[in-house]
Amino acid sequence: MFIYLSKKIAIPNGINLYSLAWNPDQGWIACGGDSGLLKVLKLELTTRAGDQKAKTGVAAPSNLSMNQTLDGHHGKVVCVTWNALYRKLTTSDESGLIIVWMLHKGMWFEEMINNRNKSVVKDMKWTADGSKICIVYADGAVIVGSVDGNRLWGKELEMQLIFVEWSPDCRYILFVTQEAQVWAYDAMGNKIKRLNLPGKDDGDGEGKDAVEIVGINWYDGAEGHVDVTAPTLAIAFSNGRVQITRGTEDPDPVIIDTKLQPLCQCKWNTRGSVLAVAGTHTHTGSNGETRDMTVVQFYDPHGLYLRTLKVPGTGINALSWEGGGLRIALAVDAYIYFANIRPDYKWGYFSNTLVYSYTRPDRTDSSVLFWDMTSDERYVKTIEGLKHIAAAGDNCVIVTGPEPDGTYKLSLCNAIGAPIDTKFTTIKPCYVSMTPFHIAVADKRVTYVWQYRTQSLKLASNDASAATNSLRKNPGRERMLDIDNFSDSPAVTVETFTYPEGECKDPISAITASDKNLIVARESGMVHRYTLPHISLEQKNVVRCRPHLLRLNCSSGKLAIIDTNGMFYILDLDGTDDSSGQPGQQLQFERKDTWDMRWAEDNENMFAVMEKTRMYVFNDLQPQEPTLSSGYLASFKELEIKAVMLDDIMQQPDKPTTDMVVDFETKSLRDVREYIDSAGLADTYTYIEQNPHPRLWRLLAEASMNALDLGIADKAFVRCSDYKGIQYVKRLNSLGDKMKQRAEVAVYFGRIDEAEMIYRDIDRKDLAIDLRERQGDWMKVMQLVQTGGGDDQLMFKATTKIGDYYAEQFNWKKAVMYYQQAKQPEKMAECYYRLEDFSSLQKMVTMVPAGTPLLTTMAQMFESVGIHETATDCYLKAGDVRAGIDCCVLLNQWDRAVSLAEQHDYPQIEGLLSKYAKYLLDKGEKLQAVELYRKANKATDAAKLLAMIAEEVTKVQADPLRAKKLNVLAALEVERFRKTALDMSQVNGDTDVAQTTMKTLDTLMTMDQATADGGGKAAKVLDNAWRGAAAYHYYLLAQRQLYNGKMDAAMKTSIRLAEYEDVLDPKDIYSLVALTAFHNKYFGICSRAFIKLETMTNIPEDDRETIQNLALSIFTKNSPLDPHQLPEQYLSCLDTGTPYYACTASGRLIQVDSERSFIMCRTCRHYVLEREIQNVNNCPLCHSSLL
């Protein structure tokens, strides 16, 4: 940072000032002094239209817009403080009188007055939110009040108070006593603890009791933190030491020894990034004489010294920061001095992109914004631990850290903030410099050099020679340089580097680099010049200053140096010192109060320097007329300087505007413009020959073209080596017509509308259309064609181009409108697809001729969203049957896929179907495989798979109802297959009947073969489809009847199960028969069931013994006789498994020959008694309709 005095305001009658406060939000300055003096001042920005300061963003405006004297105090005003949020001013004098002032219609008036009449007010502080104020008196009295004037609480402390401070969160109050103690209380006045003050000790332990606290300031964090770990509480002592802590319990506070005795003031700026301390510095001259100087020193939150400002006068009685931290006001005797601060922002400029960082109050990290000033596009990245930003060429580097392992990260980024490459270094990055090829990072002793590779370098290296490629090999890309190593090869690789031991007696103070050299400056003024890319020490020079900022010119022959005091020097590296004969000579040139500079990129002797609020341009060390500006210099080329108003940008860092970047022209460029207007082109040509520069020649060429002086324009383009300009002039000469030449000149300068008007004036609409066509302005082309300047073909082309424009902007609705006019069905289809307007897209299918490639594209569109019918139709219409089948398969429409395969003789579908079914079965998704077979009309395969699933359910005895459902589904699939195979309704003619008959027989034979080869119960479903379903149906019916107490019906139904020993477990069948017969008192039937159970061969012996014991217990009490004789069909079924017709609703025997009141289901062909289904319309077994 750099600081300089910019303004002085004298107080009338020479009245000394003792208090000063600057409102951070509205900009009012309150100052108090002797004899009750109290003034409110305000410095206003100059924003009048046409004012040069407003255009160039000059810092520190000097207009005094308010100067009001407030009457009310009679003694010395010792304390003034602002409540910025509520716009209130609170003041107090030495008599203890307190006045609260309020603003009304632009003037300040008394709002409240209070006088305790017991003691003197020593300090007053508002909370960060402005809701409460704490007032402390010298006798220890403390009063806390609200913003509306109510007293919240008061307390008498047994101590003599001199200062008070609120914590940022308003939860604590710090009281400073006259004995140099700091006590922490809560917001309600309860004592908490006494703070530890290691900064009070002057080091030798002597005079500790005599040390006083002269200031305390706690940054409230309202504008964010530069570092989340940065201390915020500053306590200043009269011995010149300042203690900075992270709150009230910091075990490791930062102690600064300012060497100021006495030290009298300390204040944070409004961003908490800089701490200002004021006091007296005793300077001892070479002859031993001492001289006291009033100074203000500036430090960062970690105690690093930044700058010193010398102030005239006998002492600083008060200081205050402006909101934003760009100015500071000092009360010295009867004057107010204003000083400008030029902060060290973290920023860079490259490839017309501005990158800078800023902090936000609601976040602990830093935001880095990449702003493309051409397109106004912005990209924001949030970064933790940001240290530096540097830029050059087409990239920038962002340095962050430390990482958890203690390293620091270097991220090479492009213009949108995307990282291209990343490196890590172990040295602390104190200084950073960047060129289009190298990045240099230095701490106080070691410099890390990274030879990075951008994308352009990687592409170029493919065509480079082997010698050039050897320079770019990986081992030399990262080097470590110790400045105390003076060998022939001072740089070593990162892998072999070991940090040198011992302290560096002459540390690094600044670095810079170019494409040829690396410059390292030390605090003693020693400057080392190293070569790049091979790092070797080329020369050493000594300058009479401590370098702070270094810049190399475009030829690397001259080095610009700005020292810590703002002095500017130039070291001619290629020159020779007259006295020593050594290379390097410090030129007899210096400037004061400089804080930034920039060499011209195309002239080694031209540079721009910022001095306070003026920018000077030097050519061969000769200054040009200065320009008012406070911008940071971003680039200097082609006699134009680009300055960035970072102060203005930081007011709203997320919304930069183009007026915050200003381009300044050098005097020679301005003179040539004036010379062209006054002296003419020929004299200007002679003038530029004496002061040549490519930019001046180009300016003359452009002016000559405007004047249609093509001869001078041609010579000027030749002098600036502009081949395109030469060819353009040649083309203008070939036109012959002055009006055409004038129109083409207007085109050259981008005045397209003017050129069109010229062509229309000479009735050449064809040339106007050609002009708009060359410019790509198809809207204008369409308008010209509509007015009669072209044909239909051109209209179609124009509407197509307009549609393309809207399509590139993703405005598909407008694009499809123009594509319709241009009759572009391919692009219309794309627009409808993007709009998801599939109804319109389906309508297009009928309009597109068969065999058109567009049909395939449209089919793919429909296929991608699952509209299978239209997609398949498009494939078929396009003649691609195979793609249609694949589409059906992909969308799981196997029925149509198989149908198309059979129609068009594609047998591969069977293999694909089998593979997919096997895939589903391997995954255990058997029901999905059944659905696949059903969709593919593979009823037999579906039935077999359903029967297999039912068999598995039976084995685990999981759910007989589920087994029945599966068998019913399998049987229904078999019935569907048979119905399809035997369906003769579509037969037409004798030939068709014969073919259909052969096909049906073939199908039935195939089914019989599958039945014979299948094996197992699953295959038998094809032979007797309803057998399994009937078995489980009667089994469930018997169970239901048993539990409903219908023992006779349950017994008869369970006897019917004797036929299905191949489906159900015989043990379950005869156990059920025995149980129902026992409860029905049919012990003869029960005995037959027990005989079946005892004679089973696969029953375990334990179960057999249990059955025998149970039978013995039953039949010893009951004779094995039935109360009534059952029909022979029941007994035959029970003994031999002979089937009989049983009602599916009740399980009773149906005498088909004698009974007539029964119904046969047309689906499963099973019988049911009509009296059992009086209110039911569906078959109890298959649930099909009986009507």
Side-chain angles (χ1 to χ4, degrees):
M1 63 171 288
F2 180 72
I3 184 167
Y4 58 90
L5 293 175
S6 59
K7 184 178 180 61
K8 180 176 73 172
I9 296 178
I11 303 300
N13 303 321
I15 299 176
N16 289 337
L17 299 177
Y18 294 97
S19 56
L20 182 69
W22 201 330
N23 188 309
D25 294 345
Q26 290 80 32
W28 294 299
I29 305 169
C31 56
D34 287 328
S35 304
L37 173 71
L38 179 61
K39 279 182 171 291
V40 176
L41 313 173
K42 188 172 185 180
L43 298 178
E44 194 68 68
L45 279 171
T46 304
T47 56
R48 294 191 303 272
D51 193 291
Q52 185 64 21
K53 292 183 180 180
K55 293 180 180 180
T56 58
V58 179
S62 57
N63 292 345
L64 196 61
S65 63
M66 175 180 282
N67 185 0
Q68 181 183 355
T69 302
L70 307 184
D71 297 327
H73 291 288
H74 301 286
K76 179 170 64 176
V77 179
V78 295
C79 186
V80 294
T81 182
W82 286 101
N83 186 333
L85 186 62
Y86 292 92
R87 297 192 178 189
K88 293 181 182 290
L89 171 65
T90 308
T91 61
S92 177
D93 59 27
E94 60 184 357
S95 65
L97 176 64
I98 301 175
I99 303 178
V100 179
W101 308 84
M102 64 175 291
L103 184 68
H104 179 67
K105 295 183 179 180
M107 301 293 290
W108 292 93
F109 297 93
E110 293 179 0
E111 183 184 22
M112 288 179 285
I113 299 178
N114 181 38
N115 194 345
R116 185 164 167 265
N117 293 324
K118 289 185 179 181
S119 182
V120 179
V121 175
K122 299 299 291 185
D123 198 9
M124 299 182 296
K125 289 290 175 60
W126 287 95
T127 56
D129 59 5
S131 61
K132 292 184 286 187
I133 186 173
C134 183
I135 305 171
V136 297
Y137 292 83
D139 61 358
V142 178
I143 298 176
V144 175
S146 64
V147 68
D148 55 6
N150 295 323
R151 176 169 173 168
L152 299 178
W153 59 269
K155 183 169 287 190
E156 297 284 343
L157 304 181
E158 297 180 356
M159 57 184 74
Q160 293 180 325
L161 302 178
I162 55 175
F163 295 111
V164 65
E165 184 61 273
W166 286 92
S167 64
D169 57 4
C170 311
R171 297 174 57 191
Y172 304 103
I173 311 175
L174 301 184
F175 296 110
V176 180
T177 69
Q178 196 169 358
E179 292 76 21
Q181 298 176 355
V182 180
W183 291 89
Y185 283 68
D186 66 12
M188 299 306 297
N190 301 310
K191 183 187 295 186
I192 298 178
K193 67 172 182 176
R194 176 181 170 183
L195 270 62
N196 184 31
L197 302 176
K200 183 178 177 181
D201 190 354
D202 58 3
D204 56 6
E206 298 180 2
K208 183 173 182 179
D209 295 335
V211 175
E212 299 178 357
I213 295 178
V214 297
I216 182 171
N217 192 225
W218 203 338
Y219 171 56
D220 59 10
E223 297 186 31
H225 296 269
V226 293
D227 187 350
V228 67
T229 63
T232 55
L233 174 59
I235 303 174
F237 301 92
S238 59
N239 61 358
R241 295 162 72 86
V242 179
Q243 174 179 320
I244 313 177
T245 62
R246 302 165 185 84
T248 59
E249 296 187 11
D250 189 352
D252 187 22
V254 177
I255 307 298
I256 305 172
D257 189 1
T258 65
K259 307 297 184 185
L260 301 180
Q261 291 191 359
L263 191 151
C264 58
Q265 301 284 335
C266 77
K267 283 285 176 64
W268 289 106
N269 69 350
T270 57
R271 294 182 175 176
S273 58
V274 179
L275 177 67
V277 294
T280 302
H281 175 67
T282 302
H283 176 72
T284 303
S286 57
N287 55 1
E289 296 181 356
T290 60
R291 181 166 57 93
D292 291 339
M293 295 185 297
T294 302
V295 298
V296 182
Q297 293 182 356
F298 298 88
Y299 297 86
D300 75 357
H302 296 285
L304 179 65
Y305 168 80
L306 299 176
R307 288 281 178 171
T308 296
L309 175 67
K310 297 178 183 179
V311 181
T314 58
I316 299 175
N317 295 324
L319 66 83
S320 184
W321 287 88
E322 179 193 26
L326 297 180
R327 284 186 293 178
I328 189 171
L330 310 170
V332 182
D333 300 332
Y335 301 95
I336 300 177
Y337 287 92
F338 293 90
N340 276 24
I341 287 88
R342 311 308 300 138
D344 290 332
Y345 296 111
K346 297 171 184 175
W347 72 288
Y349 176 79
F350 66 102
S351 299
N352 209 33
T353 299
L354 181 66
V355 53
Y356 57 88
S357 71
Y358 59 94
T359 58
R360 296 192 295 180
D362 57 335
R363 299 186 65 96
T364 58
D365 51 16
S366 298
S367 297
V368 178
L369 187 142
F370 292 79
W371 176 30
D372 188 334
M373 292 185 290
T374 302
S375 62
D376 200 31
E377 295 178 349
R378 302 160 194 162
Y379 307 90
V380 180
K381 297 180 63 177
T382 56
I383 297 177
E384 291 280 356
L386 178 65
K387 298 299 181 185
H388 297 279
I389 294 177
D394 298 326
N395 303 95
C396 72
V397 63
I398 297 176
V399 184
T400 59
E403 300 291 321
D405 59 355
T407 60
Y408 293 85
K409 184 166 85 171
L410 283 69
S411 301
L412 186 69
C413 301
N414 59 13
I416 62 173
I420 298 174
D421 201 354
T422 301
K423 296 294 181 183
F424 292 88
T425 180
T426 56
I427 66 172
K428 183 178 180 180
C430 298
Y431 312 99
V432 178
S433 182
M434 184 177 182
T435 74
F437 305 101
H438 297 85
I439 296 172
V441 178
D443 63 4
K444 293 298 182 180
R445 178 167 182 171
V446 176
T447 302
Y448 164 83
V449 181
W450 171 23
Q451 182 179 349
Y452 65 90
R453 299 183 67 184
T454 62
Q455 186 64 29
S456 58
L457 289 176
K458 292 177 182 178
L459 295 174
S461 64
N462 294 331
D463 299 327
S465 62
T468 304
N469 286 334
S470 65
L471 301 178
R472 306 290 185 183
K473 289 183 179 179
N474 189 57
R477 290 187 62 194
E478 295 179 80
R479 293 297 182 102
M480 305 296 287
L481 171 65
D482 180 9
I483 59 172
D484 288 336
N485 184 355
F486 301 110
S487 62
D488 293 337
S489 299
V492 297
T493 61
V494 174
E495 292 77 11
T496 60
F497 174 75
T498 302
Y499 202 90
E501 298 179 356
E503 182 181 359
C504 182
K505 297 181 180 179
D506 189 7
I508 297 174
S509 63
I511 65 170
T512 191
S514 67
D515 56 345
K516 298 179 182 178
N517 294 114
L518 168 67
I519 305 297
V520 180
R522 311 177 77 160
E523 292 183 358
S524 64
M526 177 72 70
V527 177
H528 294 196
R529 182 185 189 186
Y530 297 91
T531 60
L532 288 176
H534 299 289
I535 303 174
S536 61
L537 182 61
E538 186 173 355
Q539 69 185 70
K540 293 192 295 184
N541 300 98
V542 179
V543 293
R544 300 181 298 274
C545 63
R546 177 179 174 178
H548 174 72
L549 177 67
L550 304 178
R551 291 281 191 271
L552 275 170
N553 68 349
C554 59
S555 65
S556 302
K558 292 181 180 178
L559 176 68
I561 303 172
I562 299 178
D563 69 3
T564 55
N565 295 319
M567 298 297 295
F568 178 76
Y569 307 95
I570 293 180
L571 179 63
D572 187 357
L573 297 172
D574 293 338
T576 303
D577 188 84
D578 296 334
S579 58
S580 64
Q582 297 295 324
Q585 179 185 14
Q586 184 171 342
L587 302 181
Q588 298 300 317
F589 175 85
E590 65 179 41
R591 306 288 293 188
K592 296 180 180 180
D593 296 325
T594 59
W595 52 275
D596 196 11
M597 75 84 54
R598 182 72 58 178
W599 288 97
E601 299 177 19
D602 46 14
N603 189 332
E604 63 179 358
N605 296 317
M606 184 175 288
F607 58 90
V609 176
M610 297 300 304
E611 297 182 7
K612 292 187 176 180
T613 57
R614 288 180 173 83
M615 180 180 66
Y616 287 87
V617 177
F618 290 83
N619 190 7
D620 288 331
L621 305 183
Q622 298 300 316
Q624 299 179 4
E625 182 181 350
T627 304
L628 289 174
S629 176
S630 293
Y632 289 74
L633 303 181
S635 66
F636 185 6
K637 61 181 178 180
E638 295 186 346
L639 302 180
E640 289 188 352
I641 304 162
K642 188 180 295 293
V644 182
M645 306 304 164
L646 286 173
D647 298 336
D648 298 336
I649 289 177
M650 291 303 165
Q651 300 300 318
Q652 287 186 310
D654 56 338
K655 298 178 181 178
T657 56
T658 53
D659 59 349
M660 297 176 182
V661 179
V662 184
D663 291 324
F664 297 96
E665 295 182 345
T666 60
K667 185 176 183 300
S668 56
L669 189 58
R670 297 194 302 268
D671 290 345
V672 169
R673 291 188 190 277
E674 296 175 359
Y675 214 71
I676 291 173
D677 296 335
S678 60
L681 299 175
D683 293 340
T684 304
Y685 185 90
T686 305
Y687 172 79
I688 297 177
E689 277 187 318
Q690 300 172 359
N691 304 278
H693 191 280
R695 179 70 177 88
L696 301 179
W697 287 118
R698 189 159 58 253
L699 178 61
L700 176 61
E702 293 171 354
S704 301
M705 288 182 65
N706 272 322
L708 293 182
D709 192 340
L710 301 182
I712 294 181
D714 183 63
K715 291 190 290 184
F717 277 129
V718 170
R719 297 297 294 267
C720 65
S721 303
D722 189 342
Y723 178 75
K724 290 183 179 179
I726 297 172
Q727 293 298 316
Y728 204 84
V729 172
K730 183 178 179 181
R731 180 170 176 270
L732 291 177
N733 280 319
S734 65
L735 295 176
D737 189 339
K738 289 290 184 182
M739 295 302 291
K740 292 181 181 179
Q741 290 177 345
R742 193 174 300 281
E744 289 301 318
V745 168
V747 173
Y748 181 83
F749 290 107
R751 302 192 298 269
I752 309 301
D753 292 338
E754 178 185 338
E756 181 186 339
M757 290 302 299
I758 295 175
Y759 283 133
R760 298 182 73 167
D761 289 343
I762 62 175
D763 199 21
R764 292 298 303 269
K765 279 190 178 181
D766 58 327
L767 295 180
I769 291 175
D770 180 67
L771 167 64
R772 291 297 183 179
E773 194 171 351
R774 280 185 286 145
Q775 297 297 320
D777 192 348
W778 296 100
M779 279 289 189
K780 290 288 186 180
V781 172
M782 187 174 70
Q783 293 175 6
L784 290 171
V785 172
Q786 289 173 345
T787 58
D791 54 9
D792 292 342
Q793 193 67 25
L794 185 58
M795 176 63 81
F796 288 153
K797 182 178 180 181
T799 50
T800 301
K801 292 294 185 179
I802 297 172
D804 292 342
Y805 167 77
Y806 284 116
E808 291 174 358
Q809 303 297 320
F810 304 106
N811 191 342
W812 305 107
K813 286 186 178 180
K814 285 192 174 182
V816 75
M817 292 170 52
Y818 287 99
Y819 287 144
Q820 287 175 346
Q821 297 180 35
K823 300 180 180 179
Q824 295 284 345
E826 294 85 358
K827 296 185 178 183
M828 287 171 59
E830 176 70 15
C831 291
Y832 285 136
Y833 178 70
R834 297 286 185 177
L835 290 169
E836 300 182 5
D837 186 359
F838 297 107
S839 60
S840 299
L841 195 60
Q842 287 174 326
K843 293 177 182 178
M844 285 186 59
V845 176
T846 58
M847 301 166 54
V848 179
T852 306
L854 177 59
L855 287 169
T856 302
T857 303
M858 296 173 68
Q860 293 170 352
M861 293 177 180
F862 288 119
E863 182 181 345
S864 66
V865 294
I867 305 178
H868 60 91
E869 293 183 1
T870 310
T872 306
D873 292 342
C874 288
Y875 279 126
L876 296 178
K877 192 173 181 181
D880 193 348
V881 179
R882 177 61 180 272
I885 296 174
D886 292 342
C887 173
C888 293
V889 171
L890 181 65
L891 298 180
N892 207 22
Q893 302 299 317
W894 289 94
D895 52 347
R896 189 168 187 185
V898 173
S899 175
L900 289 174
E902 292 175 351
Q903 292 177 18
H904 299 278
D905 195 18
Y906 279 91
Q908 296 89 346
I909 190 68
E910 298 291 341
L912 184 61
L913 178 65
S914 300
K915 287 182 180 180
Y916 186 47
K918 184 177 183 302
Y919 167 74
L920 292 175
L921 292 174
D922 291 342
K923 289 179 61 179
E925 298 177 355
K926 295 181 180 179
L927 291 179
Q928 285 83 346
V930 170
E931 183 67 18
L932 173 66
Y933 283 131
R934 292 190 76 254
K935 289 185 175 181
N937 290 324
K938 299 292 183 180
T940 56
D941 294 327
K944 290 169 65 177
L945 186 55
L946 284 167
M948 187 192 329
I949 299 173
E951 186 178 356
E952 293 175 356
V953 172
T954 304
K955 288 180 180 179
V956 297
Q957 296 183 349
D959 186 358
L961 179 60
R962 179 178 174 84
K964 176 195 171 181
K965 291 179 179 179
L966 291 170
N967 279 283
V968 168
L969 289 175
L972 290 173
E973 288 299 313
V974 174
E975 293 297 330
R976 186 163 67 94
F977 170 75
R978 287 174 175 170
K979 181 179 180 181
T980 303
L982 298 174
D983 188 5
M984 306 287 289
S985 62
Q986 302 299 326
V987 176
N988 293 316
D990 295 338
T991 305
D992 291 337
V993 170
Q995 292 179 351
T996 304
T997 302
M998 292 179 61
K999 185 176 180 180
T1000 302
L1001 291 173
D1002 183 63
T1003 302
L1004 294 176
M1005 292 179 65
T1006 303
M1007 180 177 176
D1008 291 341
Q1009 184 66 31
T1011 305
D1013 297 342
K1017 295 182 181 179
K1020 292 180 180 179
V1021 70
L1022 302 178
D1023 185 33
N1024 193 348
W1026 292 101
R1027 182 175 178 79
Y1032 282 104
H1033 172 73
Y1034 288 123
Y1035 182 71
L1036 290 170
L1037 178 61
Q1039 294 280 357
R1040 189 161 53 249
Q1041 291 169 337
L1042 174 64
Y1043 281 95
N1044 289 335
K1046 299 177 181 180
M1047 298 303 171
D1048 186 65
M1051 181 189 71
K1052 294 177 180 178
T1053 303
S1054 61
I1055 291 174
R1056 184 67 181 82
L1057 296 177
E1059 179 194 352
Y1060 302 111
E1061 291 186 7
D1062 58 331
V1063 179
L1064 300 174
D1065 187 356
K1067 180 181 176 181
D1068 294 337
I1069 295 173
Y1070 295 110
S1071 296
L1072 183 60
V1073 173
L1075 179 63
T1076 55
F1078 172 79
H1079 286 290
N1080 198 30
K1081 308 300 182 180
Y1082 275 73
F1083 295 106
I1085 299 298
C1086 183
S1087 174
R1088 291 171 184 256
F1090 269 103
I1091 293 172
K1092 289 283 187 179
L1093 289 172
E1094 292 177 1
T1095 57
M1096 288 181 184
T1097 58
N1098 58 347
I1099 191 171
E1101 290 299 325
D1102 294 340
D1103 292 347
R1104 190 188 307 277
E1105 184 179 355
T1106 302
I1107 292 171
Q1108 291 174 352
N1109 293 334
L1110 181 60
L1112 182 62
S1113 64
I1114 292 174
F1115 296 111
T1116 54
K1117 297 179 182 179
N1118 304 284
S1119 299
L1121 299 175
D1122 298 327
H1124 302 285
Q1125 182 67 29
L1126 292 176
E1128 183 62 26
Q1129 289 88 339
Y1130 286 112
L1131 300 178
S1132 298
C1133 182
L1134 180 61
D1135 292 338
T1136 62
T1138 303
Y1140 62 87
Y1141 295 110
C1143 175
T1144 55
S1146 62
R1148 295 182 181 275
L1149 171 68
I1150 298 178
Q1151 300 290 344
V1152 177
D1153 296 335
S1154 58
E1155 292 190 53
R1156 292 289 182 266
S1157 59
F1158 62 88
I1159 300 173
M1160 185 184 74
C1161 176
R1162 293 189 297 271
T1163 301
C1164 63
R1165 292 175 297 280
H1166 282 69
Y1167 297 91
V1168 60
L1169 295 172
E1170 289 185 3
R1171 63 177 181 272
E1172 300 293 341
I1173 57 168
Q1174 293 180 0
N1175 298 321
V1176 179
N1177 298 323
N1178 297 90
C1179 174
L1181 173 59
C1182 67
H1183 302 281
S1184 299
S1185 176
L1186 296 175
L1187 300 179

